[in-house]
């Protein structure tokens, strides 16, 4: 595994842990539905990022493209889930349009993952 693979995997694990924490907080705070959505996105995407990182590290896909897809998912999560969580917990937005931008980056990350799966790995 490269240093970037280790970083991506660690950030994916952090996203999973934050998803668990946000799920627990959603059960005990007002604005819980918004926080629950943020938690679900974190929990759904963390394993996908781990899988992409594993594919890249194992040479099953084009490493750079797959790592780009994983990075896009992480950036999208930070913006989308971060904005939703901040709104739920403080009433303040991360910045204007953070959630829609994050959602768009997430969709781009999934599209990159599809491309990475279709492009043969170099042998």
């Amino acid at each position: 595994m490269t240093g970037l693979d280790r970083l991506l995997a660690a950030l994916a694990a952090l996203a999973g842990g934050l998803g668990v924490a946000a799920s627990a907080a959603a059960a005990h705070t007002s604005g819980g539905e918004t926080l629950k959505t943020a938690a679900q996105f974190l929990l759904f995407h963390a394993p996908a990022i781990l899988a992409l990182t594993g594919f890249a590290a194992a040479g099953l896909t084009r490493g750079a493209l797959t790592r780009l897809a994983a990075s896009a998912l992480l950036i999208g999560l930070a913006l989308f889930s971060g904005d939703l969580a901040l709104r739920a917990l403080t009433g303040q937005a991360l910045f204007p349009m953070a959630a829609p931008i994050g959602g768009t980056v997430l969709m781009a990350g999934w599209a990159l993952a599809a491309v990475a799966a279709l492009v043969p790995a170099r042998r």
Side-chain angles (χ1 to χ4, degrees), residues 58-85:
L60 299 174
T61 58
R62 293 268 176 116
L65 185 57
T66 307
R67 290 177 185 101
L68 182 61
S71 297
L73 291 179
L74 280 166
I75 292 166
L77 272 182
L79 293 173
F80 183 82
S81 293
D83 188 59
L84 291 183

Side-chain angles (χ1 to χ4, degrees), residues 19 22-23 26-27 31-42 84 88:
S23 292
E33 283 304 310
T34 300
L35 192 54
K36 183 178 173 183
T37 300
Q40 288 172 336
F41 269 73
L42 288 162
L84 291 183

Side-chain angles (χ1 to χ4, degrees), residues 10 33 37 43 50 53-54 70 84 89 99 107-108 118 121:
E33 283 304 310
T37 300
L43 289 169
L50 287 172
T53 302
L84 291 183
L89 296 171
M107 288 185 277
L118 294 171

Side-chain angles (χ1 to χ4, degrees), residues 1-117:
M1 282 180 92
T2 67
L4 179 56
D5 293 333
R6 291 180 192 285
L7 177 62
L8 291 169
L11 291 173
L14 179 62
L18 288 172
V20 173
S23 292
H28 302 288
T29 62
S30 62
E33 283 304 310
T34 300
L35 192 54
K36 183 178 173 183
T37 300
Q40 288 172 336
F41 269 73
L42 288 162
L43 289 169
F44 296 156
H45 287 84
I49 296 163
L50 287 172
L52 288 168
T53 302
F55 293 161
L60 299 174
T61 58
R62 293 268 176 116
L65 185 57
T66 307
R67 290 177 185 101
L68 182 61
S71 297
L73 291 179
L74 280 166
I75 292 166
L77 272 182
L79 293 173
F80 183 82
S81 293
D83 188 59
L84 291 183
L86 196 59
R87 287 174 189 264
L89 296 171
T90 69
Q92 298 292 323
L94 187 59
F95 60 84
M97 300 294 293
I101 291 168
T104 302
V105 174
L106 283 168
M107 288 185 277
W110 281 109
L112 285 168
V115 171

